[in-house]
Amino acid sequence: MVVVMQKGAAPEQRERVLTEIKALGFTPHVSDGESRSLIGAIGPAPTEEVRDHLRALPGVETVVRITKPFKLASREFRHDDSAVRIGDVATGQGRFVVAAGPCGVESREQLRAAADIAHRHGAQVLRGGAFKPRTSPYSFQGLGEEGLELLAEARAATGMPIVTEVTAPELVETVAATADMLQIGARNSQNFALLAEAGKSGKPVLFKRGLSTSISEFLQAAEYVLSQGNANVVLCERGIRTFETSTRFTLDISAVPVLKELTHLPVWVDPSHAAGRRPLVPALTLAAAAAGADGVIVEVHAKPEDAKSDAAQQLDDGEFAALMAQLRGVVAAVGKTL
Ligand code: PEP
Ligand code: MN
């Protein structure tokens, strides 16, 4: 349930509500809106008596039940869009963010060249995998900690905050020490121990939808981060598995407006992993912005043909420049800033 405080409720009134919620066996989560605070109480289904008791406390406007299986992510908990900060960059509430960079960090030179492309054409966040979750154990697995050091160097050189993937709970501390945002990949979409650990780190999380997770499962999985007291979650649609074989995955573009209806969290799209092929990436990126996404994460590489992973889908300098020019028009047309 959510306890909605009155506008201008006193801090002592809020404290009293928090104390009562804890005494009743619920875990409180505070969300401060423009003019009033919302206090989520997560726990067993509250009885009518419990709700009446809380409703009668001084400073409380009303108590609302959350009917959805996902609680803190739901629009019932927080009606207004939330924004998430990645270093100095904010996404959501009308701010469109482009994260760009190579699939994997391969070398200092390769990362610097890709970061330069991303930066020059106006991407605000740098992506690059140091720990790569590969389908085959024989494929390039990433440079690991050395990759993190190279990402930190690229951040120092460009000023761009970095998003990079964490593949296991025991790596969260190491990756969080360098990353501005932790990425949790599609293959780990229901790795609940990893999600909870990322939640505890307090770092913003870019959470990819799994290859075959429903929207409800996706949002329930996001609760593992949120319920640790970490509200900085960005959801990312990156294509799902269907019978169609002409693309790597089927980009579920309708997931964008469906998610925007159900949740206040920012929603991004990854057109690169959905498409799997360079020529399709621009159209899917523009579609994402037109459908209401708050950002995209796009793979770029100075020499895509030499990439150690996902060579077919990474954009080169000219392709990324052309895409950014078109994207600015679409983002402006939907009333957002880029
Ligand atoms: C990635 O972004 O590097 C990646 C592996 O994506 P996904 O988890 O969506 O496959
Ligand atoms: Mn990739």
Side-chain angles (χ1 to χ4, degrees):
M1 78 194 127
V2 180
V3 179
V4 182
M5 300 301 292
Q6 289 166 0
K7 275 187 191 171
E12 311 80 71
Q13 295 177 328
R14 188 170 122 148
E15 278 313 306
R16 164 104 191 264
V17 170
L18 289 173
T19 308
E20 296 269 353
I21 284 175
K22 285 184 213 155
L24 289 162
F26 296 90
T27 308
H29 291 267
V30 179
S31 164
D32 285 317
E34 295 267 296
S35 60
R36 68 182 85 221
S37 294
L38 301 180
I39 304 174
I42 305 296
T47 61
E48 198 48 53
E49 291 73 39
V50 163
R51 289 206 296 276
D52 284 348
H53 172 67
L54 292 172
R55 214 173 265 130
L57 292 175
V60 171
E61 184 166 299
T62 183
V63 177
V64 186
R65 264 197 83 183
I66 303 182
T67 53
K68 299 280 191 308
F70 40 91
K71 308 290 179 191
L72 302 171
S74 75
R75 284 232 187 248
E76 291 169 336
F77 173 61
R78 188 187 153 103
H79 178 265
D80 297 333
D81 280 1
S82 47
V84 169
R85 296 199 72 82
I86 311 145
D88 290 338
V89 174
T91 182
Q93 296 177 349
R95 278 159 297 188
F96 193 93
V97 166
V98 178
C103 177
V105 178
E106 299 170 7
S107 68
R108 176 174 287 121
E109 297 65 39
Q110 171 257 8
L111 180 62
R112 289 295 268 279
D116 177 61
I117 295 171
H119 187 53
R120 238 177 327 110
H121 302 305
Q124 304 101 309
V125 174
L126 176 63
R127 69 149 284 150
F131 293 91
K132 297 296 301 169
R134 304 308 302 282
T135 300
S136 163
Y138 309 118
S139 303
F140 174 61
Q141 303 287 312
L143 297 181
E145 294 196 34
E146 187 194 340
L148 295 177
E149 283 165 28
L150 296 177
L151 283 165
E153 279 181 26
R155 170 176 53 204
T158 60
M160 300 165 88
I162 54 190
V163 57
T164 193
E165 183 159 356
V166 56
T167 50
E170 60 275 17
L171 288 173
V172 168
E173 204 180 326
T174 305
V175 178
T178 301
D180 298 287
M181 180 181 227
L182 300 175
Q183 180 174 326
I184 296 196
R187 288 156 194 82
N188 272 315
S189 199
Q190 289 188 309
N191 184 339
F192 304 126
L194 174 59
L195 288 159
E197 208 53 40
K200 283 183 204 146
S201 77
K203 287 274 170 174
V205 174
L206 178 63
F207 182 35
K208 299 272 198 93
R209 181 180 182 187
L211 315 189
S212 57
T213 46
S214 68
I215 302 254
S216 176
E217 288 165 337
F218 186 28
L219 289 168
Q220 288 180 73
E223 292 285 314
Y224 278 89
V225 180
L226 299 167
S227 60
Q228 296 296 332
N230 185 348
N232 307 307
V233 176
V234 174
L235 302 166
C236 184
E237 162 60 37
R238 46 79 69 211
I240 53 174
R241 197 39 61 83
T242 69
F243 54 82
E244 184 53 63
T245 54
S246 56
T247 47
R248 189 175 175 190
F249 294 95
T250 298
L251 181 65
D252 181 9
I253 200 73
S254 45
V256 177
V258 169
L259 284 167
K260 298 298 290 182
E261 199 171 69
L262 294 173
T263 178
H264 54 88
L265 297 171
V267 177
W268 286 13
V269 167
D270 176 343
S272 305
H273 290 88
R277 292 194 286 125
R278 191 170 305 123
L280 305 179
V281 171
L284 299 187
T285 309
L286 301 179
D294 301 290
V296 286
I297 176 164
V298 182
E299 289 187 342
V300 301
H301 197 292
K303 290 188 189 140
E305 63 283 5
D306 292 344
K308 290 191 176 155
S309 55
D310 290 346
Q313 71 196 27
Q314 306 202 52
L315 301 184
D316 67 17
D317 192 340
E319 290 162 338
F320 186 62
L323 170 57
M324 286 300 285
Q326 285 187 302
L327 184 57
R328 285 182 199 286
V330 176
V331 169
V334 294
K336 294 195 172 94
T337 54
L338 164 58

Coordinates of all heavy atoms in Angstrom, one line a residue, residues 79-169:
H79 N 2.9 8.4 -9.3 CA 2.1 8.7 -10.5 C 3.0 9.4 -11.5 O 2.9 9.1 -12.7 CB 0.9 9.6 -10.1 CG 0.1 10.1 -11.3 ND1 0.4 11.3 -11.9 CD2 -0.8 9.4 -12.0 CE1 -0.5 11.4 -13.0 NE2 -1.2 10.3 -13.1
D80 N 3.9 10.3 -11.1 CA 4.7 11.1 -12.0 C 5.9 10.4 -12.5 O 6.5 9.6 -11.7 CB 5.1 12.4 -11.4 CG 3.9 13.3 -11.0 OD1 2.9 13.2 -11.7 OD2 4.1 14.1 -10.0
D81 N 6.4 10.6 -13.7 CA 7.6 10.0 -14.2 C 8.8 10.3 -13.2 O 8.9 11.4 -12.7 CB 8.0 10.7 -15.5 CG 7.2 10.1 -16.7 OD1 6.4 9.2 -16.5 OD2 7.5 10.6 -17.8
S82 N 9.6 9.3 -13.0 CA 10.8 9.6 -12.3 C 12.0 9.9 -13.2 O 12.0 9.5 -14.4 CB 11.1 8.5 -11.3 OG 11.1 7.3 -11.9
A83 N 13.0 10.5 -12.7 CA 14.2 10.7 -13.5 C 15.4 10.0 -12.8 O 15.3 9.8 -11.6 CB 14.6 12.2 -13.5
V84 N 16.3 9.5 -13.6 CA 17.5 8.8 -13.0 C 18.7 9.5 -13.5 O 18.9 9.9 -14.6 CB 17.5 7.3 -13.5 CG1 18.8 6.6 -13.2 CG2 16.3 6.6 -12.9
R85 N 19.6 9.7 -12.5 CA 20.9 10.4 -12.8 C 22.0 9.4 -13.0 O 22.1 8.4 -12.3 CB 21.3 11.3 -11.7 CG 20.4 12.5 -11.4 CD 21.1 13.5 -10.6 NE 22.0 14.2 -11.4 CZ 21.7 15.2 -12.3 NH1 20.5 15.6 -12.4 NH2 22.7 15.8 -13.0
I86 N 22.8 9.6 -14.1 CA 24.0 8.8 -14.4 C 25.1 9.8 -14.4 O 25.3 10.5 -15.4 CB 23.8 8.1 -15.8 CG1 22.4 7.5 -15.9 CG2 25.0 7.1 -16.1 CD1 21.9 7.5 -17.3
G87 N 25.9 9.8 -13.3 CA 26.9 10.9 -13.2 C 26.1 12.2 -13.3 O 25.2 12.5 -12.6
D88 N 26.6 13.1 -14.2 CA 25.9 14.4 -14.4 C 24.8 14.4 -15.3 O 24.2 15.5 -15.6 CB 27.0 15.4 -14.9 CG 28.0 15.7 -13.8 OD1 27.7 15.5 -12.6 OD2 29.1 16.2 -14.2
V89 N 24.5 13.3 -15.9 CA 23.4 13.2 -16.9 C 22.1 12.7 -16.3 O 22.2 11.8 -15.5 CB 23.9 12.2 -18.0 CG1 22.8 11.9 -19.1 CG2 25.2 12.7 -18.7
A90 N 21.0 13.3 -16.7 CA 19.7 12.8 -16.2 C 18.9 12.3 -17.4 O 18.9 12.8 -18.5 CB 19.0 13.9 -15.5
T91 N 18.1 11.2 -17.1 CA 17.2 10.6 -18.1 C 15.8 10.5 -17.5 O 15.7 10.3 -16.3 CB 17.7 9.2 -18.6 OG1 16.8 8.8 -19.6 CG2 17.8 8.2 -17.5
G92 N 14.8 10.7 -18.3 CA 13.4 10.7 -17.9 C 13.0 12.2 -17.7 O 13.8 13.1 -17.8
Q93 N 11.7 12.3 -17.4 CA 11.1 13.7 -17.3 C 11.4 14.6 -18.5 O 11.8 15.7 -18.3 CB 11.5 14.3 -16.0 CG 11.0 13.5 -14.7 CD 11.5 14.1 -13.4 OE1 12.4 14.9 -13.4 NE2 11.0 13.6 -12.3
G94 N 11.4 14.0 -19.7 CA 11.6 14.8 -20.9 C 13.0 14.9 -21.4 O 13.3 15.5 -22.4
R95 N 13.9 14.3 -20.6 CA 15.3 14.3 -21.1 C 15.7 13.0 -21.7 O 15.7 11.9 -21.1 CB 16.3 14.6 -19.9 CG 16.3 16.1 -19.7 CD 16.8 16.4 -18.3 NE 15.8 15.9 -17.3 CZ 15.9 16.2 -16.0 NH1 16.8 16.9 -15.6 NH2 15.0 15.7 -15.2
F96 N 16.0 13.0 -23.0 CA 16.4 11.8 -23.8 C 17.9 11.7 -23.8 O 18.7 12.6 -24.0 CB 15.9 12.0 -25.2 CG 15.9 10.8 -26.1 CD1 14.8 10.0 -26.2 CD2 17.1 10.4 -26.7 CE1 14.8 8.8 -26.9 CE2 17.1 9.2 -27.5 CZ 16.0 8.4 -27.6
V97 N 18.3 10.4 -23.5 CA 19.7 10.2 -23.3 C 20.2 9.1 -24.4 O 19.5 8.1 -24.6 CB 20.1 9.7 -21.9 CG1 21.5 9.1 -21.8 CG2 20.0 10.9 -20.9
V98 N 21.3 9.4 -25.0 CA 21.9 8.4 -25.9 C 23.2 7.9 -25.2 O 24.1 8.7 -24.9 CB 22.3 9.0 -27.3 CG1 23.0 8.0 -28.2 CG2 21.1 9.6 -28.0
A99 N 23.2 6.6 -25.0 CA 24.4 5.9 -24.5 C 25.0 5.2 -25.8 O 24.3 4.5 -26.5 CB 24.1 4.9 -23.4
A100 N 26.3 5.4 -26.0 CA 26.9 4.8 -27.2 C 28.3 4.4 -26.9 O 29.0 4.9 -26.0 CB 26.9 5.8 -28.4
G101 N 28.8 3.4 -27.6 CA 30.1 2.9 -27.4 C 30.2 1.5 -28.0 O 29.2 0.9 -28.5
P102 N 31.3 0.8 -27.8 CA 31.5 -0.5 -28.4 C 30.7 -1.6 -27.6 O 30.4 -1.4 -26.5 CB 33.0 -0.7 -28.3 CG 33.4 0.0 -27.1 CD 32.6 1.3 -27.1
C103 N 30.5 -2.7 -28.3 CA 29.9 -3.8 -27.6 C 30.9 -4.2 -26.4 O 30.5 -4.1 -25.3 CB 29.8 -5.0 -28.6 SG 29.2 -6.5 -27.8
G104 N 32.1 -4.5 -26.7 CA 33.1 -4.9 -25.7 C 34.3 -4.0 -25.7 O 34.6 -3.4 -26.8
V105 N 34.9 -3.8 -24.5 CA 36.1 -3.0 -24.5 C 37.2 -4.0 -24.9 O 37.4 -5.1 -24.3 CB 36.4 -2.6 -23.1 CG1 37.8 -1.8 -23.0 CG2 35.3 -1.6 -22.6
E106 N 37.9 -3.7 -26.0 CA 38.9 -4.6 -26.6 C 40.3 -4.2 -26.4 O 41.2 -5.0 -26.2 CB 38.6 -4.8 -28.1 CG 37.2 -5.3 -28.4 CD 36.9 -5.2 -29.9 OE1 37.7 -4.9 -30.7 OE2 35.7 -5.5 -30.2
S107 N 40.6 -2.9 -26.4 CA 41.9 -2.3 -26.2 C 41.8 -0.8 -25.9 O 40.7 -0.2 -26.2 CB 42.8 -2.5 -27.5 OG 42.3 -1.7 -28.5
R108 N 42.8 -0.2 -25.5 CA 42.8 1.2 -25.2 C 42.5 2.0 -26.5 O 41.6 2.9 -26.5 CB 44.2 1.7 -24.6 CG 44.3 3.2 -24.4 CD 45.6 3.6 -23.8 NE 45.6 3.2 -22.3 CZ 46.4 2.4 -21.8 NH1 47.4 1.8 -22.5 NH2 46.4 2.1 -20.5
E109 N 43.1 1.7 -27.6 CA 42.9 2.4 -28.8 C 41.5 2.2 -29.3 O 40.9 3.2 -29.8 CB 43.9 1.9 -29.9 CG 45.4 2.1 -29.6 CD 45.9 1.3 -28.4 OE1 45.5 0.1 -28.2 OE2 46.7 1.9 -27.6
Q110 N 41.0 1.0 -29.3 CA 39.7 0.7 -29.8 C 38.6 1.5 -29.0 O 37.7 2.1 -29.5 CB 39.4 -0.8 -29.7 CG 38.0 -1.2 -30.0 CD 37.2 -1.6 -28.7 OE1 37.6 -1.4 -27.6 NE2 36.0 -2.0 -28.9
L111 N 38.8 1.5 -27.7 CA 37.8 2.2 -26.8 C 37.9 3.7 -27.0 O 36.8 4.3 -27.2 CB 38.0 1.8 -25.3 CG 37.0 2.5 -24.4 CD1 35.6 2.1 -24.7 CD2 37.4 2.2 -22.9
R112 N 39.1 4.2 -27.1 CA 39.3 5.7 -27.3 C 38.6 6.1 -28.6 O 38.0 7.1 -28.7 CB 40.7 6.1 -27.2 CG 41.3 6.0 -25.8 CD 40.6 6.9 -24.9 NE 41.3 8.2 -24.8 CZ 42.4 8.4 -24.0 NH1 42.9 7.4 -23.3 NH2 43.0 9.5 -24.0
A113 N 38.8 5.3 -29.7 CA 38.3 5.7 -31.0 C 36.7 5.6 -30.9 O 36.1 6.5 -31.4 CB 38.8 4.7 -32.0
A114 N 36.2 4.6 -30.3 CA 34.7 4.5 -30.2 C 34.2 5.6 -29.3 O 33.1 6.2 -29.6 CB 34.3 3.1 -29.7
A115 N 34.8 5.9 -28.2 CA 34.4 6.9 -27.3 C 34.4 8.3 -28.0 O 33.5 9.1 -27.8 CB 35.3 7.0 -26.0
D116 N 35.4 8.5 -28.8 CA 35.5 9.8 -29.6 C 34.3 9.9 -30.5 O 33.8 11.0 -30.6 CB 36.9 9.8 -30.3 CG 37.0 11.0 -31.2 OD1 37.0 12.1 -30.6 OD2 37.1 10.9 -32.4
I117 N 34.0 8.8 -31.2 CA 32.8 8.9 -32.1 C 31.6 9.2 -31.3 O 30.8 10.1 -31.6 CB 32.6 7.5 -32.8 CG1 33.8 7.3 -33.7 CG2 31.3 7.5 -33.6 CD1 33.8 5.8 -34.3
A118 N 31.4 8.5 -30.2 CA 30.2 8.7 -29.4 C 30.1 10.2 -28.9 O 29.1 10.9 -29.0 CB 30.2 7.8 -28.2
H119 N 31.2 10.7 -28.4 CA 31.3 12.0 -27.8 C 31.1 13.1 -28.8 O 30.3 14.0 -28.7 CB 32.7 12.2 -27.1 CG 32.8 13.4 -26.3 ND1 31.9 13.8 -25.3 CD2 33.8 14.4 -26.4 CE1 32.3 14.9 -24.8 NE2 33.4 15.3 -25.4
R120 N 31.8 13.0 -30.0 CA 31.8 14.0 -31.0 C 30.4 14.2 -31.6 O 30.0 15.3 -31.9 CB 32.7 13.6 -32.2 CG 33.8 14.6 -32.4 CD 34.7 14.2 -33.5 NE 35.1 12.8 -33.7 CZ 34.7 12.1 -34.7 NH1 33.9 12.6 -35.6 NH2 35.1 10.8 -34.8
H121 N 29.6 13.1 -31.6 CA 28.2 13.3 -32.2 C 27.1 13.5 -31.2 O 26.0 13.4 -31.5 CB 28.0 12.1 -33.1 CG 29.0 11.9 -34.2 ND1 29.3 13.0 -35.1 CD2 29.8 10.9 -34.5 CE1 30.2 12.6 -35.9 NE2 30.6 11.4 -35.6
G122 N 27.5 13.6 -29.9 CA 26.5 14.1 -28.9 C 25.9 13.0 -28.0 O 25.0 13.3 -27.3
A123 N 26.5 11.8 -28.0 CA 26.0 10.8 -27.0 C 26.4 11.4 -25.6 O 27.5 12.0 -25.5 CB 26.6 9.5 -27.3
Q124 N 25.6 11.2 -24.6 CA 25.9 11.7 -23.3 C 26.6 10.7 -22.4 O 27.2 11.0 -21.4 CB 24.6 12.2 -22.6 CG 23.8 13.3 -23.4 CD 22.6 12.6 -24.0 OE1 22.8 11.6 -24.7 NE2 21.5 13.2 -23.9
V125 N 26.4 9.4 -22.7 CA 26.9 8.3 -21.8 C 27.7 7.4 -22.7 O 27.3 7.1 -23.9 CB 25.7 7.6 -21.1 CG1 26.2 6.3 -20.4 CG2 24.9 8.5 -20.2
L126 N 28.8 6.8 -22.1 CA 29.6 5.9 -22.9 C 29.3 4.5 -22.4 O 29.3 4.2 -21.2 CB 31.1 6.2 -22.6 CG 32.2 5.3 -23.2 CD1 32.1 5.3 -24.7 CD2 33.6 5.6 -22.7
R127 N 29.1 3.6 -23.4 CA 28.9 2.2 -23.0 C 30.1 1.3 -23.4 O 30.9 1.8 -24.3 CB 27.6 1.6 -23.7 CG 27.7 1.4 -25.2 CD 26.9 0.2 -25.7 NE 27.6 -1.1 -25.4 CZ 27.0 -2.2 -25.2 NH1 25.7 -2.3 -25.2 NH2 27.7 -3.3 -24.9
G128 N 30.2 0.2 -22.9 CA 31.3 -0.7 -23.3 C 31.4 -1.9 -22.2 O 31.4 -1.6 -21.0
G129 N 31.4 -3.1 -22.7 CA 31.4 -4.2 -21.8 C 32.8 -4.6 -21.5 O 33.6 -4.9 -22.3
A130 N 33.1 -4.7 -20.1 CA 34.4 -5.2 -19.7 C 34.2 -6.7 -19.3 O 35.0 -7.5 -19.6 CB 34.8 -4.4 -18.4
F131 N 33.1 -7.0 -18.7 CA 32.7 -8.4 -18.5 C 31.6 -8.7 -19.4 O 30.5 -8.1 -19.4 CB 32.2 -8.6 -17.0 CG 33.3 -8.3 -16.0 CD1 33.5 -7.1 -15.5 CD2 34.1 -9.4 -15.6 CE1 34.5 -6.9 -14.5 CE2 35.1 -9.2 -14.7 CZ 35.3 -7.9 -14.1
K132 N 31.8 -9.6 -20.3 CA 30.8 -9.9 -21.4 C 30.1 -11.3 -21.1 O 30.8 -12.3 -20.9 CB 31.5 -10.1 -22.8 CG 32.2 -8.8 -23.3 CD 31.2 -7.7 -23.5 CE 30.2 -8.0 -24.5 NZ 29.1 -6.9 -24.5
P133 N 28.8 -11.3 -21.1 CA 28.0 -12.5 -21.0 C 27.9 -13.2 -22.3 O 26.9 -12.9 -23.0 CB 26.7 -12.0 -20.4 CG 26.5 -10.7 -21.0 CD 27.9 -10.1 -21.4
R134 N 28.7 -14.1 -22.7 CA 28.6 -14.6 -24.1 C 27.9 -16.0 -24.1 O 28.0 -16.8 -23.2 CB 30.0 -14.8 -24.7 CG 30.9 -13.5 -24.7 CD 30.2 -12.3 -25.3 NE 29.8 -12.6 -26.7 CZ 30.6 -12.6 -27.8 NH1 31.9 -12.3 -27.6 NH2 30.2 -12.8 -29.0
T135 N 27.1 -16.2 -25.1 CA 26.4 -17.4 -25.3 C 27.3 -18.6 -25.3 O 27.0 -19.7 -24.7 CB 25.5 -17.3 -26.6 OG1 24.6 -16.2 -26.4 CG2 24.7 -18.6 -26.8
S136 N 28.5 -18.5 -25.9 CA 29.4 -19.6 -26.0 C 30.6 -19.3 -25.1 O 31.2 -18.1 -25.1 CB 29.9 -19.8 -27.4 OG 31.1 -20.5 -27.4
P137 N 31.1 -20.2 -24.3 CA 32.3 -20.0 -23.5 C 33.6 -19.8 -24.3 O 34.6 -19.4 -23.8 CB 32.4 -21.3 -22.6 CG 31.7 -22.3 -23.4 CD 30.6 -21.6 -24.1
Y138 N 33.5 -20.1 -25.6 CA 34.7 -20.0 -26.5 C 34.8 -18.6 -27.1 O 35.7 -18.3 -27.8 CB 34.7 -21.1 -27.5 CG 34.5 -22.5 -26.9 CD1 33.4 -23.3 -27.2 CD2 35.4 -22.9 -25.9 CE1 33.1 -24.5 -26.6 CE2 35.2 -24.2 -25.3 CZ 34.0 -24.9 -25.6 OH 33.8 -26.1 -25.0
S139 N 33.7 -17.8 -27.0 CA 33.8 -16.4 -27.5 C 34.5 -15.5 -26.6 O 34.7 -15.8 -25.4 CB 32.3 -15.9 -27.7 OG 31.6 -16.8 -28.5
F140 N 34.9 -14.3 -27.2 CA 35.6 -13.3 -26.4 C 34.8 -12.9 -25.1 O 33.7 -12.5 -25.3 CB 35.8 -12.1 -27.3 CG 36.3 -10.8 -26.7 CD1 37.6 -10.8 -26.1 CD2 35.6 -9.6 -26.6 CE1 38.1 -9.7 -25.5 CE2 36.1 -8.5 -26.0 CZ 37.4 -8.5 -25.5
Q141 N 35.4 -13.0 -24.0 CA 34.7 -12.8 -22.7 C 34.9 -11.4 -22.1 O 34.4 -11.2 -21.0 CB 35.2 -13.9 -21.7 CG 35.0 -15.3 -22.1 CD 33.6 -15.8 -22.1 OE1 32.8 -15.6 -21.2 NE2 33.1 -16.4 -23.2
G142 N 35.6 -10.6 -22.8 CA 35.9 -9.2 -22.3 C 37.2 -9.2 -21.5 O 37.8 -10.2 -21.2
L143 N 37.7 -7.9 -21.3 CA 39.0 -7.8 -20.6 C 38.9 -7.8 -19.1 O 39.9 -7.6 -18.4 CB 39.7 -6.5 -21.1 CG 40.0 -6.4 -22.6 CD1 40.7 -5.0 -22.8 CD2 40.9 -7.5 -23.0
G144 N 37.6 -7.8 -18.6 CA 37.5 -7.9 -17.1 C 38.0 -6.6 -16.5 O 37.7 -5.5 -17.0
E145 N 38.7 -6.7 -15.4 CA 39.2 -5.5 -14.6 C 40.0 -4.5 -15.5 O 39.9 -3.3 -15.3 CB 39.9 -5.9 -13.3 CG 38.9 -6.6 -12.4 CD 39.5 -6.7 -11.0 OE1 40.1 -5.8 -10.5 OE2 39.2 -7.7 -10.3
E146 N 40.8 -5.1 -16.4 CA 41.6 -4.2 -17.2 C 40.6 -3.3 -18.1 O 40.9 -2.1 -18.3 CB 42.5 -5.0 -18.1 CG 43.4 -4.2 -19.0 CD 44.1 -5.0 -20.1 OE1 44.1 -6.3 -20.1 OE2 44.5 -4.4 -21.1
G147 N 39.5 -3.9 -18.5 CA 38.5 -3.2 -19.3 C 37.9 -2.1 -18.5 O 37.6 -1.0 -19.0
L148 N 37.7 -2.3 -17.2 CA 37.2 -1.2 -16.3 C 38.1 -0.1 -16.2 O 37.7 1.1 -16.2 CB 36.9 -1.8 -14.9 CG 35.8 -2.8 -14.7 CD1 35.7 -3.3 -13.3 CD2 34.4 -2.3 -15.2
E149 N 39.4 -0.4 -16.1 CA 40.4 0.7 -16.1 C 40.4 1.5 -17.4 O 40.5 2.7 -17.3 CB 41.8 0.1 -15.9 CG 42.1 -0.3 -14.4 CD 43.3 -1.3 -14.3 OE1 44.2 -1.1 -15.1 OE2 43.3 -2.1 -13.3
L150 N 40.3 0.8 -18.5 CA 40.2 1.5 -19.8 C 39.0 2.4 -19.9 O 39.0 3.5 -20.4 CB 40.3 0.5 -20.9 CG 41.6 -0.3 -21.0 CD1 41.5 -1.3 -22.2 CD2 42.8 0.6 -21.2
L151 N 37.9 1.9 -19.3 CA 36.7 2.7 -19.3 C 36.9 4.0 -18.4 O 36.4 5.1 -18.8 CB 35.5 1.9 -18.8 CG 34.9 0.9 -19.7 CD1 34.0 -0.1 -19.0 CD2 34.1 1.6 -20.8
A152 N 37.5 3.8 -17.3 CA 37.8 5.0 -16.4 C 38.7 6.0 -17.2 O 38.4 7.2 -17.1 CB 38.5 4.5 -15.1
E153 N 39.6 5.5 -17.9 CA 40.5 6.4 -18.7 C 39.7 7.2 -19.8 O 39.8 8.4 -20.0 CB 41.6 5.6 -19.5 CG 42.8 5.3 -18.7 CD 43.8 4.5 -19.5 OE1 43.8 4.7 -20.8 OE2 44.5 3.7 -19.0
A154 N 38.8 6.4 -20.4 CA 37.9 7.1 -21.5 C 37.0 8.1 -20.9 O 36.7 9.1 -21.5 CB 37.2 6.0 -22.2
R155 N 36.5 7.8 -19.7 CA 35.7 8.8 -19.0 C 36.5 10.1 -18.7 O 36.0 11.2 -18.9 CB 35.1 8.2 -17.7 CG 34.4 9.2 -16.8 CD 33.8 8.6 -15.6 NE 34.8 7.8 -14.8 CZ 34.4 6.8 -14.0 NH1 33.2 6.5 -13.8 NH2 35.4 6.1 -13.4
A156 N 37.7 9.9 -18.2 CA 38.5 11.0 -17.9 C 38.8 11.9 -19.2 O 38.8 13.1 -19.1 CB 39.8 10.6 -17.2
A157 N 39.0 11.2 -20.3 CA 39.3 11.9 -21.5 C 38.1 12.6 -22.1 O 38.2 13.7 -22.7 CB 39.8 10.9 -22.5
T158 N 36.9 12.0 -22.0 CA 35.7 12.6 -22.7 C 34.8 13.3 -21.7 O 33.9 14.1 -22.1 CB 34.9 11.5 -23.3 OG1 34.5 10.5 -22.3 CG2 35.7 10.7 -24.4
G159 N 34.8 13.0 -20.4 CA 33.9 13.5 -19.5 C 32.6 12.8 -19.5 O 31.6 13.2 -18.7
M160 N 32.5 11.7 -20.2 CA 31.2 11.0 -20.3 C 31.1 9.9 -19.2 O 32.1 9.2 -19.0 CB 31.1 10.2 -21.6 CG 31.1 11.1 -22.8 SD 31.4 10.1 -24.3 CE 29.7 9.6 -24.7
P161 N 30.0 9.9 -18.5 CA 29.8 8.8 -17.5 C 29.7 7.5 -18.2 O 29.3 7.4 -19.4 CB 28.5 9.1 -16.8 CG 27.8 10.1 -17.7 CD 28.8 10.8 -18.5
I162 N 30.0 6.4 -17.5 CA 30.0 5.1 -18.2 C 29.0 4.1 -17.6 O 28.7 4.1 -16.4 CB 31.4 4.4 -18.2 CG1 32.0 4.3 -16.8 CG2 32.4 5.2 -19.1 CD1 33.4 3.9 -16.7
V163 N 28.4 3.3 -18.6 CA 27.6 2.2 -18.2 C 28.2 0.9 -18.7 O 28.7 0.9 -19.8 CB 26.1 2.4 -18.8 CG1 26.1 2.5 -20.3 CG2 25.3 1.2 -18.4
T164 N 28.4 0.0 -17.8 CA 29.0 -1.3 -18.2 C 28.4 -2.4 -17.4 O 27.8 -2.2 -16.3 CB 30.6 -1.2 -17.9 OG1 31.2 -2.3 -18.6 CG2 30.9 -1.2 -16.4
E165 N 28.4 -3.6 -18.0 CA 27.7 -4.7 -17.5 C 28.4 -5.4 -16.3 O 29.6 -5.5 -16.3 CB 27.4 -5.7 -18.6 CG 26.6 -6.9 -18.2 CD 25.9 -7.7 -19.3 OE1 26.0 -7.3 -20.5 OE2 25.3 -8.7 -19.0
V166 N 27.5 -5.9 -15.4 CA 28.0 -6.7 -14.3 C 27.3 -8.0 -14.4 O 26.0 -8.1 -14.6 CB 27.8 -6.0 -12.9 CG1 26.4 -5.6 -12.6 CG2 28.3 -6.9 -11.8
T167 N 28.0 -9.1 -14.4 CA 27.5 -10.4 -14.8 C 27.2 -11.4 -13.6 O 26.7 -12.4 -13.8 CB 28.4 -11.1 -15.8 OG1 29.7 -11.1 -15.3 CG2 28.4 -10.4 -17.2
A168 N 27.7 -11.0 -12.4 CA 27.6 -11.9 -11.3 C 27.6 -11.1 -10.0 O 28.2 -10.1 -9.9 CB 28.8 -12.9 -11.3
P169 N 26.8 -11.6 -9.0 CA 26.7 -10.9 -7.7 C 28.1 -10.5 -7.1 O 28.3 -9.4 -6.6 CB 25.9 -11.8 -6.8 CG 25.3 -12.8 -7.7 CD 26.1 -12.9 -9.0

